[in-house]
Amino acid sequence: MPIINSVFTWFIKKRIHQIELFKKYPNEVQEEWFEQLISEAEGTEWGKKYHYKDITSLKNFKEQVPIQNYDTLKPYIERMLKGEQNVLWPTEIRWFAKSSGTTSDRSKFIPVSEESLEECHFKGGKDMLTLYFNNRPNARIFTGKSLTLGGSHQVNQLYADTFFGDLSAVIMKNLPLWAEFYRTPHLDIALLENFEEKIEKMAHATKDVNVTSLSGVPTWNILLFKRILEITGKSNLLEVWPNLELYFHGAVNFTPYREQFRQLIPADDMYYLETYNASEGFFGLQDQSDSDDMLLMLDYGIFYEFLPLEHLHDENPKTLSLDEVELGKNYALIISTNAGLWRYMIGDTIRFSSLSPYRIQITGRTKHFINAFGEELIIDNAERALDEACRQTGAIIKEYTAAPVYFKGDECGAHEWIIEFEQKPAEFDRFVDLLDETLRRINSDYDAKRFKDMALRRPIVRQAAEGTFFNWMKEKGKLGGQHKVPRLANDREYIDSILLLMELVE
């Protein structure tokens, strides 16, 4: 332990200096990465198609390379899955992160190069520890193990040397030995494909381990923690793991889960550190102990562009560089990476909470919103309104989703919510009113549509029985890993299938 601490202390000081540099010179760092990415890829099939050799400025790049999504890159990626190289990126790519951010049947295979593993994902993992130790110098997480609940790993049968799995599984399979030593449980359990079997085996394998830190998607971690408490008969996790001090979380907004974690881990000094790590890259880290905002990491081999949300559906939308963004505005995130994703719209929306340094908040998904009546309701609005309703009624939400109810005859529209409560509100009608009132206060478009119930009437909120969302995700084959319940949808596909499941159960 003393040797590990001294080595890591040296690393922290060196890395903090580098972070301070990109905070001080953000635009210069991004410009360097832009030039390096273009230079390295000019000999690839993609680079030749879009004349990377002739690109001398960001303006050229934007003019020559259209904004991409998974569908436009899919033909190239499918060839790479079969073993073709030098297509989107010059170095050999053998690993792919299987991504499915919603319950859509479509799976995405995101290329993971050696550079993106080392310079992005692993670097982000090290920086999580760096920032934690920088904020808490007396941390003792190296006295025990880190429990990671991730996805499963599979071998792609299309080509003998091509592998894919959830991002967490890809990372675990490639971890350096020192990092693997501090992780629990063994890979044989951690990478089990059957999620329910994995939860059971992980619970038994880790209940007697000295776990000092946790990481994973809150939804699935809670299931594991509750199973461990059932097995051990303990009332909270500190009775199982008395040295527990840190939880790395990401993928979903932590606000709806905060109270559940407070009950599971009743410690005032438990440290929660938010990460923004997607299959496409590691983008942000919470660097302040007193704020959930995340520092945009600018030296991970990623070049960023930002598309104002109001121009999302323009024919040739103009993107902004880092030095052009404004505080408080919603942007679709567009990236070019050292794994061969070029001007790739990942589907997330963010806003800047600080411009010096650049700190961000995730506000939603470009496809996850409700705008059936011009109300432009985004996930950030929903989370804030639900948090306020819970705070004032003592409720704790386990999962939720919402969708529009369309005009029918003389009846105006509405938003229909399905909520599974961990703890029900003391006054249900007041909960619904608070949800509605808060949405009206924070979203002027929603408020305008609610005026005298002209377009939108009071929200319809349905309470789901315990296990509803788990059973729905299981039915869709979307348990564990990075899978998550879609919070908002502009159609009724998700909500109608959940309502049908609820009817069948009744």
Side-chain angles (χ1 to χ4, degrees), residues 62-289:
K62 291 181 179 183
E63 290 171 348
Q64 292 177 203
V65 184
I67 291 174
Q68 306 293 314
N69 57 36
Y70 188 76
D71 288 337
T72 60
L73 287 185
K74 187 177 178 181
Y76 299 92
I77 292 174
E78 286 182 336
R79 289 165 50 201
M80 295 163 68
L81 282 165
K82 296 174 183 176
E84 284 192 53
Q85 300 295 337
N86 205 36
V87 179
L88 294 173
W89 188 250
T91 61
E92 184 179 37
I93 293 180
R94 299 171 57 238
W95 287 91
F96 295 82
K98 185 180 179 183
S99 173
S100 178
T102 71
T103 56
S104 167
D105 289 331
R106 179 184 297 172
S107 291
K108 299 177 182 179
F109 295 89
I110 305 300
V112 181
S113 66
E114 189 67 30
E115 291 88 347
S116 65
L117 265 180
E118 292 292 338
E119 297 170 6
C120 185
H121 294 294
F122 287 169
K123 196 171 184 178
K126 293 172 189 173
D127 281 351
M128 292 192 307
L129 295 171
T130 296
L131 292 169
Y132 175 59
F133 272 83
N134 190 57
N135 290 334
R136 185 176 278 186
N138 296 323
R140 294 177 55 79
I141 59 172
F142 285 128
T143 61
K145 300 276 188 176
S146 174
L147 189 158
T148 302
L149 177 56
S152 61
H153 166 257
Q154 294 174 292
V155 175
N156 184 347
Q157 298 300 315
L158 291 174
Y159 191 75
D161 293 326
T162 302
F163 306 92
F164 68 82
D166 289 350
L167 175 66
S168 56
V170 172
I171 289 174
M172 280 192 274
K173 286 293 287 186
N174 289 278
L175 279 176
L177 286 175
W178 71 267
E180 180 61 26
F181 176 77
Y182 284 101
R183 197 195 53 74
T184 190
H186 191 272
L187 283 180
D188 290 347
I189 296 174
L191 297 179
L192 278 171
E193 192 168 353
N194 184 304
F195 182 73
E196 291 172 288
E197 180 187 3
K198 178 191 293 191
I199 288 287
E200 190 66 20
K201 289 193 173 182
M202 282 189 79
H204 285 280
T206 60
K207 64 182 176 63
D208 297 317
V209 175
N210 178 27
V211 173
T212 54
S213 67
L214 309 163
S215 63
V217 177
T219 312
W220 310 122
N221 276 112
I222 287 172
L223 288 175
L224 172 63
F225 300 158
K226 288 185 173 180
R227 182 58 186 140
I228 288 172
L229 295 181
E230 285 177 6
I231 294 170
T232 61
K234 304 296 185 182
S235 60
N236 64 68
L237 289 180
L238 294 178
E239 294 178 4
V240 181
W241 302 315
N243 298 314
L244 185 62
E245 61 178 76
L246 171 65
Y247 176 48
F248 297 111
H249 62 89
V252 295
N253 187 332
F254 192 60
T255 300
Y257 302 96
R258 196 174 295 279
E259 185 56 37
Q260 291 184 70
F261 271 81
R262 192 175 288 119
Q263 293 182 4
L264 288 165
I265 311 170
D268 292 336
D269 60 347
M270 181 68 183
Y271 200 106
Y272 295 91
L273 197 156
E274 186 164 4
T275 69
Y276 186 6
N277 188 18
S279 299
E280 297 87 354
F282 206 127
F283 308 126
L285 277 168
Q286 181 184 337
D287 65 320
Q288 304 170 106
S289 57

Side-chain angles (χ1 to χ4, degrees), residues 428-492:
F428 183 74
D429 283 340
R430 184 162 178 260
F431 176 92
V432 178
D433 287 335
L434 286 165
L435 170 64
D436 185 38
E437 290 165 10
T438 308
L439 286 175
R440 294 190 71 165
R441 189 177 71 251
I442 64 179
N443 184 326
S444 59
D445 293 310
Y446 178 88
D447 183 49
K449 303 306 178 292
R450 283 283 290 117
F451 181 68
K452 294 186 177 181
D453 290 353
M454 291 180 66
L456 282 173
R457 63 187 188 274
R458 184 174 182 261
I460 302 164
V461 180
R462 304 190 188 281
Q463 298 185 58
E466 183 179 353
T468 295
F469 283 94
F470 177 88
N471 292 331
W472 182 65
M473 295 287 277
K474 181 179 178 180
E475 185 182 85
K476 298 290 181 182
K478 302 293 181 182
L479 289 179
Q482 295 291 312
H483 300 305
K484 41 197 176 285
V485 173
R487 299 308 197 191
L488 304 178
N490 207 35
D491 57 48
R492 295 189 57 83

